[in-house]
Amino acid sequence: GHIVRNWKVRWFVLLQDKLLYYKIEGGKKEPSPKGRILLDGCTITCPCLEYENRPLLIKLKTKTDTDYFLECCSREERDSWALDITGAIHAGHPVQVQELHRMKNSFKLLENISLHHIVERMCDSSTGIKLTRNLEQGNRYKETFTGSALVDWLISNSFAVSRFEAVTLASMLMEENFVKPVGARSTEATRYSDLSEQFLDDSTALYMFAESSKKNITSKEELQFNISELSGTIVKQGFLVKQGHKRKNWKVRRFVLRAEPAFLHYYDPTKEENRPVGGFSLRGCLVSALEDNGVPAGVKGNVQGNLFKIITKNDVHYYIQASSKAERAQWIEAIKPLT
């Protein structure tokens, strides 16, 4: 309501240029509309998260700066109304309608935004995602959020423009161990679904922050990675031994090979923070096996054999040891097509 800020059931009818709403008496709508919202010059916000306990809101702001908050009965109904109202607002502009449909079905995540930055924003006490207690199959979970709540939050904070993009981004947060599933619904999806279907845009699927994502990291310690680097499909991953660039010592690292875009990242398995400690683009790289008879130039320390080398297009040399010749061959075979 505009005067008394209470919530009332109204019957809505969407026309080409306006949204009419009617009072309901005795289960039937009255013949004359109670009011109307002129759509010319309107802006629409969906999802609208201004009311913490009302996640299914659409906000309409008219060109005279009047705000209307409309609550739907389900996410599906909310998103359907929002799409139809948006189409009506831009009905006189066919180019904009085409652009809206293109955005709805396209995939283009924002560049130069780190996953760590997104998680920091999510953890903000005032503007972050709201954590709640949830009960599922007799188990009580503290500080959780639902899959649909995360998708809504990502869209409302402009990290994604469509639910498809937001689900992809949420999947990346889960894949990089910033977010983890809890409860039967979400954990079963990670076990039995394809990689693209493991995160659920669902109000019954529960998630929470992984412990590693809660720890604050100083800007000096944090390595920023372009979000597009970590968006590729994982082709291969496993533990290898890598020679350091400065001390030339050998350390075990968990390597993750991604395609489209092609990157090789490596992680420190001794640290809880599951973010890369290094990585590089594979475009223009050279990868080759090194002979086991003698230590090649540029290699120092305890070398057990099964070496291979990657030279980046910037002429940075990486020396890596596999546990066997077969494993070395598998890694080289996986990397070569991506160079």
Side-chain angles (χ1 to χ4, degrees):
H2 287 292
I3 301 173
V4 180
R5 294 289 180 174
N6 54 358
W7 296 84
K8 293 182 178 178
V9 175
R10 293 290 183 256
W11 182 271
F12 280 83
V13 176
L14 176 61
L15 303 180
Q16 187 172 0
D17 60 346
K18 64 178 73 75
L19 189 61
L20 305 178
Y21 54 94
Y22 298 77
K23 288 182 68 174
I24 302 289
E25 293 292 343
K28 297 181 179 180
K29 75 179 181 71
E30 293 187 343
S32 300
K34 175 72 175 175
R36 64 179 183 172
I37 304 170
L38 297 178
L39 298 179
D40 180 43
C42 258
T43 58
I44 182 170
T45 303
C46 178
C48 172
L49 305 182
E50 292 187 26
Y51 287 83
E52 181 178 338
N53 60 340
R54 295 182 182 274
L56 302 178
L57 288 184
I58 297 171
K59 178 182 177 181
L60 290 175
K61 180 184 281 292
T62 68
K63 66 179 180 182
T64 58
D65 285 337
T66 303
D67 291 339
Y68 290 87
F69 294 92
L70 316 176
E71 185 173 33
C72 301
C73 298
S74 67
R75 286 185 302 112
E76 293 77 15
E77 186 182 51
R78 179 198 66 188
D79 295 342
S80 176
W81 271 100
L83 187 63
D84 290 339
I85 292 171
T86 303
I89 290 173
H90 299 294
H93 308 278
V95 174
Q96 285 183 286
V97 174
Q98 290 176 5
E99 179 68 11
L100 286 167
H101 283 287
R102 186 195 65 77
M103 288 174 60
K104 180 176 180 290
N105 298 308
S106 69
F107 174 73
K108 186 183 179 183
L109 289 171
L110 294 174
E111 294 184 353
N112 299 317
I113 295 183
S114 70
L115 296 180
H116 181 70
H117 170 69
I118 294 174
V119 174
E120 278 188 336
R121 290 276 302 275
M122 287 174 64
C123 293
D124 187 278
S125 58
S126 58
T127 60
I129 194 166
K130 303 304 178 185
L131 303 179
T132 59
R133 294 172 179 265
N134 280 283
L135 187 68
E136 186 190 82
Q137 296 181 350
N139 296 316
R140 187 176 296 278
Y141 300 100
K142 297 179 180 179
E143 297 188 334
T144 61
F145 45 87
T146 66
S148 57
L150 176 52
V151 170
D152 285 351
W153 186 89
L154 290 170
I155 295 172
S156 67
N157 285 271
S158 302
F159 289 114
V161 299
S162 68
R163 301 196 79 79
F164 176 74
E165 283 188 15
V167 167
T168 304
L169 187 50
S171 300
M172 291 164 56
L173 291 170
M174 189 170 68
E175 186 179 311
E176 296 299 327
N177 201 34
F178 289 105
V179 169
K180 65 179 183 181
V182 290
R185 183 91 169 84
S186 55
T187 53
E188 283 179 7
T190 61
R191 292 173 186 165
Y192 304 116
S193 300
D194 294 335
L195 199 63
S196 60
E197 299 174 346
Q198 288 185 353
F199 180 86
L200 301 176
D201 178 10
D202 194 289
S203 58
T204 63
L206 300 181
Y207 298 88
M208 66 188 305
F209 291 116
E211 286 301 316
S212 60
S213 65
K214 294 182 181 178
K215 299 185 177 180
N216 292 324
I217 296 177
T218 65
S219 58
K220 289 183 180 179
E221 292 172 326
E222 181 189 354
L223 282 173
Q224 295 287 342
F225 289 91
N226 187 313
I227 196 169
S228 64
E229 291 186 24
L230 301 172
S231 65
T233 303
I234 292 179
V235 176
K236 185 176 178 60
Q237 57 182 316
F239 291 95
L240 298 166
V241 184
K242 173 187 166 293
Q243 179 179 266
H245 287 292
K246 294 180 180 179
R247 297 184 181 179
K248 303 298 182 184
N249 53 352
W250 293 87
K251 291 184 178 180
V252 174
R253 293 289 182 253
R254 180 172 67 86
F255 280 79
V256 178
L257 177 63
R258 295 180 173 89
E260 296 180 3
F263 276 84
L264 185 63
H265 292 99
Y266 47 93
Y267 300 71
D268 186 344
T270 66
K271 294 183 178 180
E272 291 186 18
E273 294 85 4
N274 192 23
R275 57 182 60 84
V277 295
F280 51 92
S281 170
L282 290 172
R283 294 301 179 197
C285 283
L286 297 174
V287 56
S288 60
L290 297 178
E291 297 299 329
D292 292 340
N293 51 347
V295 179
V299 175
K300 296 182 180 180
N302 183 23
V303 180
Q304 305 296 325
N306 307 315
L307 278 172
F308 64 97
K309 178 171 69 173
I310 301 175
I311 305 175
T312 70
K313 65 179 181 180
N314 298 324
D315 200 34
V316 179
H317 292 227
Y318 289 86
Y319 294 96
I320 302 168
Q321 293 187 61
S323 61
S324 66
K325 288 185 178 180
E327 185 182 47
R328 176 177 66 180
Q330 290 170 5
W331 275 98
I332 292 173
E333 186 179 345
I335 291 169
K336 271 189 175 179
L338 303 177
T339 60

